[in-house]
Amino acid sequence: MILRGPPRPPWPHLAAWRRRSSPPPGREGLRVLGRVYPCDDFTNVTPKILAKLGRELHNQRYHPLWLLKERIKTHFYSAYTARSGNPLFSAHDNLSPVVTAEQNFDSLLIPSGHPSRKRGDNYYLNRNTMLRSHTSAHQRELVSGGLDAFLLAGDVYRRDEIDASHYPVFHQMEGVRLFSEHQLFSGIANGQDLRLFEESGRRTPQKQQVHSLEAVKLLESHLKGTLSALVGDLFGEGAEVRWLECYFPFTHPSFEMEVRYNGDWMEVLGCGIMEQQLLNSAGAPDKVGWAFGLGLERLAMVLYDIPDIRLFWSQDERFLKQFRVDDVRRRVRFQALSKYPPLRNDISFWLPADGAAFHTNDFYELVRAVAGDLVEEVTLLDDFTHPTSGRRSLCFCLLYRHTERTLSRREVRQVHGEIQRRVQTQLGVEGRY
């Protein structure tokens, strides 16, 4: 549901990318979760990313992401029940992260030119297949299966910067609720006279052209009430929230929810009224609905005081045992492990002289491919343009720190040397070291 980050610059001309990053000769396919996918000029997923598939941290019992997922499920199961007494919302947390580009984008009405589709921001197995960048890639198939109320959790994949709060694999959870005309207006005075849809309507900031204003106002009220109750459960009754209008391609109107936490406003989730075109294509043209999505790591880092996103992937018992609780609602405060000393190394280089475009996501991905989780943060220190030649030079600081042990200078020197070598051979830059 959430499209993170601001729009990034257009991806470089395809020929320039092929020259630097086409699949290795003889590499005919990628084996992913037991299936082989053919490679092409769009293939950009790395072995280190593929190694994360199947870990499913959100399904590992007593992992902090599992705890938070179960806590959200428990809230919805207890707060919303069907007439039969069973939970109204069904939960789905084992859908494959390998999806088609059509599922990930087109099914959600994300236009072809939208920045979230760019090859530089996603992991593609090939031009038509990718690792999902949001769990919303499954919305249409679940609605098409006849589900009116469901929760969905899973691992998602995006190329991104390197720091304590960003990681190329993270986890999302979202919810969808659909209403028929009878369900939405039952209990409303003169509800029998109200309608979900109107003819000859027009799209405004408050509603879609096909929706009646009464239906949208009821949906919005239900959505905000539902999410305010969830946040009250997670942060405590009386948590102060505010709603900001925003834009998502698959909802309108759309909102971001912020919670005041430790004196600051913190974004918690994105939500909105589902685009009717999406529901029509999923076989539910006679219903309206809302959807929300949140990042599990973002919330878990705040609720459990986890300072570094890399820790979620730790197998250190000192980390994991802190979350073995008998009640998922129990308050947990992570006790920091030993803070191992960092080692800093800088790298600077001239950008390609032939004018080929350079993007920092390419560099971040190369660092991840070589160093994995040994690098805690990458920071741009200097961006210099030579006054005579016009050539541009970048200097980055790489902060090396392991979460479970002390790194040796020799170990870091070897890794950093490999990064220096590959940045020249794979990105076409000229080193200044």
mmCIF file with all atom_site columns, all heavy atoms in Angstrom, residues 184 206-207 212-223 253 255 273:
data_model
loop_
_atom_site.group_PDB
_atom_site.id
_atom_site.type_symbol
_atom_site.label_atom_id
_atom_site.label_alt_id
_atom_site.label_comp_id
_atom_site.label_asym_id
_atom_site.label_entity_id
_atom_site.label_seq_id
_atom_site.pdbx_PDB_ins_code
_atom_site.Cartn_x
_atom_site.Cartn_y
_atom_site.Cartn_z
_atom_site.occupancy
_atom_site.B_iso_or_equiv
_atom_site.pdbx_formal_charge
_atom_site.auth_seq_id
_atom_site.auth_comp_id
_atom_site.auth_asym_id
_atom_site.auth_atom_id
_atom_site.pdbx_PDB_model_num
ATOM 1   N N   . LEU A 1 184 ? -22.890 -0.884 4.206  1.00 0.00 ? 184 LEU A N   1
ATOM 2   C CA  . LEU A 1 184 ? -22.409 0.450  4.532  1.00 0.00 ? 184 LEU A CA  1
ATOM 3   C C   . LEU A 1 184 ? -23.501 1.319  5.139  1.00 0.00 ? 184 LEU A C   1
ATOM 4   O O   . LEU A 1 184 ? -23.240 2.083  6.080  1.00 0.00 ? 184 LEU A O   1
ATOM 5   C CB  . LEU A 1 184 ? -21.840 1.127  3.275  1.00 0.00 ? 184 LEU A CB  1
ATOM 6   C CG  . LEU A 1 184 ? -21.144 2.463  3.513  1.00 0.00 ? 184 LEU A CG  1
ATOM 7   C CD1 . LEU A 1 184 ? -19.917 2.286  4.409  1.00 0.00 ? 184 LEU A CD1 1
ATOM 8   C CD2 . LEU A 1 184 ? -20.729 3.106  2.191  1.00 0.00 ? 184 LEU A CD2 1
ATOM 9   N N   . GLN A 1 206 ? -12.356 15.373 -2.766 1.00 0.00 ? 206 GLN A N   1
ATOM 10  C CA  . GLN A 1 206 ? -13.042 14.632 -1.712 1.00 0.00 ? 206 GLN A CA  1
ATOM 11  C C   . GLN A 1 206 ? -13.526 13.258 -2.139 1.00 0.00 ? 206 GLN A C   1
ATOM 12  O O   . GLN A 1 206 ? -13.783 12.398 -1.287 1.00 0.00 ? 206 GLN A O   1
ATOM 13  C CB  . GLN A 1 206 ? -14.254 15.430 -1.200 1.00 0.00 ? 206 GLN A CB  1
ATOM 14  C CG  . GLN A 1 206 ? -13.894 16.669 -0.398 1.00 0.00 ? 206 GLN A CG  1
ATOM 15  C CD  . GLN A 1 206 ? -13.377 17.800 -1.269 1.00 0.00 ? 206 GLN A CD  1
ATOM 16  O OE1 . GLN A 1 206 ? -13.894 18.024 -2.374 1.00 0.00 ? 206 GLN A OE1 1
ATOM 17  N NE2 . GLN A 1 206 ? -12.358 18.510 -0.789 1.00 0.00 ? 206 GLN A NE2 1
ATOM 18  N N   . LYS A 1 207 ? -13.660 13.006 -3.465 1.00 0.00 ? 207 LYS A N   1
ATOM 19  C CA  . LYS A 1 207 ? -14.244 11.735 -3.875 1.00 0.00 ? 207 LYS A CA  1
ATOM 20  C C   . LYS A 1 207 ? -13.932 11.410 -5.333 1.00 0.00 ? 207 LYS A C   1
ATOM 21  O O   . LYS A 1 207 ? -13.522 12.282 -6.106 1.00 0.00 ? 207 LYS A O   1
ATOM 22  C CB  . LYS A 1 207 ? -15.764 11.766 -3.668 1.00 0.00 ? 207 LYS A CB  1
ATOM 23  C CG  . LYS A 1 207 ? -16.530 12.591 -4.676 1.00 0.00 ? 207 LYS A CG  1
ATOM 24  C CD  . LYS A 1 207 ? -18.004 12.544 -4.398 1.00 0.00 ? 207 LYS A CD  1
ATOM 25  C CE  . LYS A 1 207 ? -18.807 13.040 -5.611 1.00 0.00 ? 207 LYS A CE  1
ATOM 26  N NZ  . LYS A 1 207 ? -18.766 12.076 -6.727 1.00 0.00 ? 207 LYS A NZ  1
ATOM 27  N N   . SER A 1 212 ? -20.871 8.250  -4.464 1.00 0.00 ? 212 SER A N   1
ATOM 28  C CA  . SER A 1 212 ? -21.695 9.283  -3.849 1.00 0.00 ? 212 SER A CA  1
ATOM 29  C C   . SER A 1 212 ? -20.923 9.880  -2.678 1.00 0.00 ? 212 SER A C   1
ATOM 30  O O   . SER A 1 212 ? -20.087 9.217  -2.054 1.00 0.00 ? 212 SER A O   1
ATOM 31  C CB  . SER A 1 212 ? -23.019 8.700  -3.359 1.00 0.00 ? 212 SER A CB  1
ATOM 32  O OG  . SER A 1 212 ? -22.808 7.854  -2.239 1.00 0.00 ? 212 SER A OG  1
ATOM 33  N N   . LEU A 1 213 ? -21.181 11.134 -2.380 1.00 0.00 ? 213 LEU A N   1
ATOM 34  C CA  . LEU A 1 213 ? -20.489 11.800 -1.280 1.00 0.00 ? 213 LEU A CA  1
ATOM 35  C C   . LEU A 1 213 ? -20.818 11.131 0.052  1.00 0.00 ? 213 LEU A C   1
ATOM 36  O O   . LEU A 1 213 ? -19.952 11.002 0.924  1.00 0.00 ? 213 LEU A O   1
ATOM 37  C CB  . LEU A 1 213 ? -20.879 13.276 -1.244 1.00 0.00 ? 213 LEU A CB  1
ATOM 38  C CG  . LEU A 1 213 ? -20.126 14.141 -0.224 1.00 0.00 ? 213 LEU A CG  1
ATOM 39  C CD1 . LEU A 1 213 ? -18.616 14.107 -0.489 1.00 0.00 ? 213 LEU A CD1 1
ATOM 40  C CD2 . LEU A 1 213 ? -20.648 15.579 -0.262 1.00 0.00 ? 213 LEU A CD2 1
ATOM 41  N N   . GLU A 1 214 ? -22.075 10.662 0.208  1.00 0.00 ? 214 GLU A N   1
ATOM 42  C CA  . GLU A 1 214 ? -22.472 9.995  1.453  1.00 0.00 ? 214 GLU A CA  1
ATOM 43  C C   . GLU A 1 214 ? -21.671 8.715  1.668  1.00 0.00 ? 214 GLU A C   1
ATOM 44  O O   . GLU A 1 214 ? -21.213 8.438  2.792  1.00 0.00 ? 214 GLU A O   1
ATOM 45  C CB  . GLU A 1 214 ? -23.963 9.657  1.433  1.00 0.00 ? 214 GLU A CB  1
ATOM 46  C CG  . GLU A 1 214 ? -24.885 10.857 1.419  1.00 0.00 ? 214 GLU A CG  1
ATOM 47  C CD  . GLU A 1 214 ? -25.103 11.414 0.021  1.00 0.00 ? 214 GLU A CD  1
ATOM 48  O OE1 . GLU A 1 214 ? -24.516 10.862 -0.937 1.00 0.00 ? 214 GLU A OE1 1
ATOM 49  O OE2 . GLU A 1 214 ? -25.854 12.391 -0.118 1.00 0.00 ? 214 GLU A OE2 1
ATOM 50  N N   . ALA A 1 215 ? -21.464 7.942  0.602  1.00 0.00 ? 215 ALA A N   1
ATOM 51  C CA  . ALA A 1 215 ? -20.705 6.702  0.724  1.00 0.00 ? 215 ALA A CA  1
ATOM 52  C C   . ALA A 1 215 ? -19.251 6.976  1.107  1.00 0.00 ? 215 ALA A C   1
ATOM 53  O O   . ALA A 1 215 ? -18.679 6.310  1.974  1.00 0.00 ? 215 ALA A O   1
ATOM 54  C CB  . ALA A 1 215 ? -20.761 5.923  -0.590 1.00 0.00 ? 215 ALA A CB  1
ATOM 55  N N   . VAL A 1 216 ? -18.658 7.982  0.479  1.00 0.00 ? 216 VAL A N   1
ATOM 56  C CA  . VAL A 1 216 ? -17.256 8.296  0.759  1.00 0.00 ? 216 VAL A CA  1
ATOM 57  C C   . VAL A 1 216 ? -17.083 8.778  2.191  1.00 0.00 ? 216 VAL A C   1
ATOM 58  O O   . VAL A 1 216 ? -16.130 8.387  2.882  1.00 0.00 ? 216 VAL A O   1
ATOM 59  C CB  . VAL A 1 216 ? -16.734 9.349  -0.236 1.00 0.00 ? 216 VAL A CB  1
ATOM 60  C CG1 . VAL A 1 216 ? -15.352 9.838  0.182  1.00 0.00 ? 216 VAL A CG1 1
ATOM 61  C CG2 . VAL A 1 216 ? -16.674 8.763  -1.637 1.00 0.00 ? 216 VAL A CG2 1
ATOM 62  N N   . LYS A 1 217 ? -17.987 9.616  2.671  1.00 0.00 ? 217 LYS A N   1
ATOM 63  C CA  . LYS A 1 217 ? -17.858 10.132 4.032  1.00 0.00 ? 217 LYS A CA  1
ATOM 64  C C   . LYS A 1 217 ? -17.991 9.004  5.058  1.00 0.00 ? 217 LYS A C   1
ATOM 65  O O   . LYS A 1 217 ? -17.275 8.977  6.072  1.00 0.00 ? 217 LYS A O   1
ATOM 66  C CB  . LYS A 1 217 ? -18.910 11.211 4.291  1.00 0.00 ? 217 LYS A CB  1
ATOM 67  C CG  . LYS A 1 217 ? -18.650 12.510 3.531  1.00 0.00 ? 217 LYS A CG  1
ATOM 68  C CD  . LYS A 1 217 ? -17.274 13.077 3.866  1.00 0.00 ? 217 LYS A CD  1
ATOM 69  C CE  . LYS A 1 217 ? -16.986 14.360 3.131  1.00 0.00 ? 217 LYS A CE  1
ATOM 70  N NZ  . LYS A 1 217 ? -15.596 14.860 3.400  1.00 0.00 ? 217 LYS A NZ  1
ATOM 71  N N   . LEU A 1 218 ? -18.897 8.060  4.813  1.00 0.00 ? 218 LEU A N   1
ATOM 72  C CA  . LEU A 1 218 ? -19.034 6.926  5.724  1.00 0.00 ? 218 LEU A CA  1
ATOM 73  C C   . LEU A 1 218 ? -17.796 6.031  5.675  1.00 0.00 ? 218 LEU A C   1
ATOM 74  O O   . LEU A 1 218 ? -17.307 5.569  6.708  1.00 0.00 ? 218 LEU A O   1
ATOM 75  C CB  . LEU A 1 218 ? -20.286 6.121  5.380  1.00 0.00 ? 218 LEU A CB  1
ATOM 76  C CG  . LEU A 1 218 ? -21.612 6.627  5.948  1.00 0.00 ? 218 LEU A CG  1
ATOM 77  C CD1 . LEU A 1 218 ? -22.773 5.803  5.413  1.00 0.00 ? 218 LEU A CD1 1
ATOM 78  C CD2 . LEU A 1 218 ? -21.584 6.570  7.472  1.00 0.00 ? 218 LEU A CD2 1
ATOM 79  N N   . LEU A 1 219 ? -17.288 5.771  4.466  1.00 0.00 ? 219 LEU A N   1
ATOM 80  C CA  . LEU A 1 219 ? -16.081 4.961  4.323  1.00 0.00 ? 219 LEU A CA  1
ATOM 81  C C   . LEU A 1 219 ? -14.899 5.612  5.030  1.00 0.00 ? 219 LEU A C   1
ATOM 82  O O   . LEU A 1 219 ? -14.139 4.944  5.749  1.00 0.00 ? 219 LEU A O   1
ATOM 83  C CB  . LEU A 1 219 ? -15.745 4.777  2.836  1.00 0.00 ? 219 LEU A CB  1
ATOM 84  C CG  . LEU A 1 219 ? -16.457 3.678  2.064  1.00 0.00 ? 219 LEU A CG  1
ATOM 85  C CD1 . LEU A 1 219 ? -16.093 3.763  0.585  1.00 0.00 ? 219 LEU A CD1 1
ATOM 86  C CD2 . LEU A 1 219 ? -16.096 2.307  2.607  1.00 0.00 ? 219 LEU A CD2 1
ATOM 87  N N   . GLU A 1 220 ? -14.725 6.908  4.814  1.00 0.00 ? 220 GLU A N   1
ATOM 88  C CA  . GLU A 1 220 ? -13.607 7.625  5.433  1.00 0.00 ? 220 GLU A CA  1
ATOM 89  C C   . GLU A 1 220 ? -13.710 7.581  6.953  1.00 0.00 ? 220 GLU A C   1
ATOM 90  O O   . GLU A 1 220 ? -12.713 7.364  7.654  1.00 0.00 ? 220 GLU A O   1
ATOM 91  C CB  . GLU A 1 220 ? -13.588 9.065  4.943  1.00 0.00 ? 220 GLU A CB  1
ATOM 92  C CG  . GLU A 1 220 ? -12.426 9.879  5.473  1.00 0.00 ? 220 GLU A CG  1
ATOM 93  C CD  . GLU A 1 220 ? -12.429 11.308 4.934  1.00 0.00 ? 220 GLU A CD  1
ATOM 94  O OE1 . GLU A 1 220 ? -12.845 11.505 3.775  1.00 0.00 ? 220 GLU A OE1 1
ATOM 95  O OE2 . GLU A 1 220 ? -12.032 12.216 5.692  1.00 0.00 ? 220 GLU A OE2 1
ATOM 96  N N   . SER A 1 221 ? -14.905 7.754  7.473  1.00 0.00 ? 221 SER A N   1
ATOM 97  C CA  . SER A 1 221 ? -15.100 7.715  8.914  1.00 0.00 ? 221 SER A CA  1
ATOM 98  C C   . SER A 1 221 ? -14.787 6.326  9.468  1.00 0.00 ? 221 SER A C   1
ATOM 99  O O   . SER A 1 221 ? -14.141 6.188  10.512 1.00 0.00 ? 221 SER A O   1
ATOM 100 C CB  . SER A 1 221 ? -16.540 8.105  9.258  1.00 0.00 ? 221 SER A CB  1
ATOM 101 O OG  . SER A 1 221 ? -16.784 7.983  10.644 1.00 0.00 ? 221 SER A OG  1
ATOM 102 N N   . HIS A 1 222 ? -15.238 5.306  8.763  1.00 0.00 ? 222 HIS A N   1
ATOM 103 C CA  . HIS A 1 222 ? -14.982 3.933  9.199  1.00 0.00 ? 222 HIS A CA  1
ATOM 104 C C   . HIS A 1 222 ? -13.495 3.619  9.153  1.00 0.00 ? 222 HIS A C   1
ATOM 105 O O   . HIS A 1 222 ? -12.934 3.016  10.079 1.00 0.00 ? 222 HIS A O   1
ATOM 106 C CB  . HIS A 1 222 ? -15.766 2.958  8.318  1.00 0.00 ? 222 HIS A CB  1
ATOM 107 C CG  . HIS A 1 222 ? -15.810 1.563  8.855  1.00 0.00 ? 222 HIS A CG  1
ATOM 108 N ND1 . HIS A 1 222 ? -14.773 0.662  8.671  1.00 0.00 ? 222 HIS A ND1 1
ATOM 109 C CD2 . HIS A 1 222 ? -16.757 0.903  9.571  1.00 0.00 ? 222 HIS A CD2 1
ATOM 110 C CE1 . HIS A 1 222 ? -15.079 -0.484 9.251  1.00 0.00 ? 222 HIS A CE1 1
ATOM 111 N NE2 . HIS A 1 222 ? -16.278 -0.359 9.807  1.00 0.00 ? 222 HIS A NE2 1
ATOM 112 N N   . LEU A 1 223 ? -12.836 4.031  8.081  1.00 0.00 ? 223 LEU A N   1
ATOM 113 C CA  . LEU A 1 223 ? -11.404 3.797  7.930  1.00 0.00 ? 223 LEU A CA  1
ATOM 114 C C   . LEU A 1 223 ? -10.617 4.468  9.054  1.00 0.00 ? 223 LEU A C   1
ATOM 115 O O   . LEU A 1 223 ? -9.773  3.833  9.717  1.00 0.00 ? 223 LEU A O   1
ATOM 116 C CB  . LEU A 1 223 ? -10.938 4.339  6.578  1.00 0.00 ? 223 LEU A CB  1
ATOM 117 C CG  . LEU A 1 223 ? -9.430  4.448  6.335  1.00 0.00 ? 223 LEU A CG  1
ATOM 118 C CD1 . LEU A 1 223 ? -8.777  3.076  6.349  1.00 0.00 ? 223 LEU A CD1 1
ATOM 119 C CD2 . LEU A 1 223 ? -9.159  5.155  5.000  1.00 0.00 ? 223 LEU A CD2 1
ATOM 120 N N   . PRO A 1 253 ? -10.067 9.469  -1.944 1.00 0.00 ? 253 PRO A N   1
ATOM 121 C CA  . PRO A 1 253 ? -8.969  10.250 -1.388 1.00 0.00 ? 253 PRO A CA  1
ATOM 122 C C   . PRO A 1 253 ? -7.984  9.374  -0.607 1.00 0.00 ? 253 PRO A C   1
ATOM 123 O O   . PRO A 1 253 ? -8.311  8.265  -0.208 1.00 0.00 ? 253 PRO A O   1
ATOM 124 C CB  . PRO A 1 253 ? -9.687  11.250 -0.478 1.00 0.00 ? 253 PRO A CB  1
ATOM 125 C CG  . PRO A 1 253 ? -10.963 10.565 -0.104 1.00 0.00 ? 253 PRO A CG  1
ATOM 126 C CD  . PRO A 1 253 ? -11.366 9.774  -1.300 1.00 0.00 ? 253 PRO A CD  1
ATOM 127 N N   . PHE A 1 255 ? -4.701  9.240  2.473  1.00 0.00 ? 255 PHE A N   1
ATOM 128 C CA  . PHE A 1 255 ? -4.247  9.904  3.689  1.00 0.00 ? 255 PHE A CA  1
ATOM 129 C C   . PHE A 1 255 ? -2.996  9.224  4.237  1.00 0.00 ? 255 PHE A C   1
ATOM 130 O O   . PHE A 1 255 ? -2.779  8.026  4.024  1.00 0.00 ? 255 PHE A O   1
ATOM 131 C CB  . PHE A 1 255 ? -5.338  9.863  4.779  1.00 0.00 ? 255 PHE A CB  1
ATOM 132 C CG  . PHE A 1 255 ? -6.690  10.280 4.315  1.00 0.00 ? 255 PHE A CG  1
ATOM 133 C CD1 . PHE A 1 255 ? -7.617  9.331  3.905  1.00 0.00 ? 255 PHE A CD1 1
ATOM 134 C CD2 . PHE A 1 255 ? -7.046  11.622 4.265  1.00 0.00 ? 255 PHE A CD2 1
ATOM 135 C CE1 . PHE A 1 255 ? -8.874  9.704  3.461  1.00 0.00 ? 255 PHE A CE1 1
ATOM 136 C CE2 . PHE A 1 255 ? -8.305  12.009 3.818  1.00 0.00 ? 255 PHE A CE2 1
ATOM 137 C CZ  . PHE A 1 255 ? -9.214  11.048 3.420  1.00 0.00 ? 255 PHE A CZ  1
ATOM 138 N N   . ILE A 1 273 ? -9.484  5.471  0.247  1.00 0.00 ? 273 ILE A N   1
ATOM 139 C CA  . ILE A 1 273 ? -10.637 4.815  -0.372 1.00 0.00 ? 273 ILE A CA  1
ATOM 140 C C   . ILE A 1 273 ? -10.167 4.177  -1.671 1.00 0.00 ? 273 ILE A C   1
ATOM 141 O O   . ILE A 1 273 ? -9.592  4.849  -2.528 1.00 0.00 ? 273 ILE A O   1
ATOM 142 C CB  . ILE A 1 273 ? -11.761 5.839  -0.663 1.00 0.00 ? 273 ILE A CB  1
ATOM 143 C CG1 . ILE A 1 273 ? -12.091 6.648  0.606  1.00 0.00 ? 273 ILE A CG1 1
ATOM 144 C CG2 . ILE A 1 273 ? -12.984 5.107  -1.202 1.00 0.00 ? 273 ILE A CG2 1
ATOM 145 C CD1 . ILE A 1 273 ? -12.453 5.822  1.805  1.00 0.00 ? 273 ILE A CD1 1
#
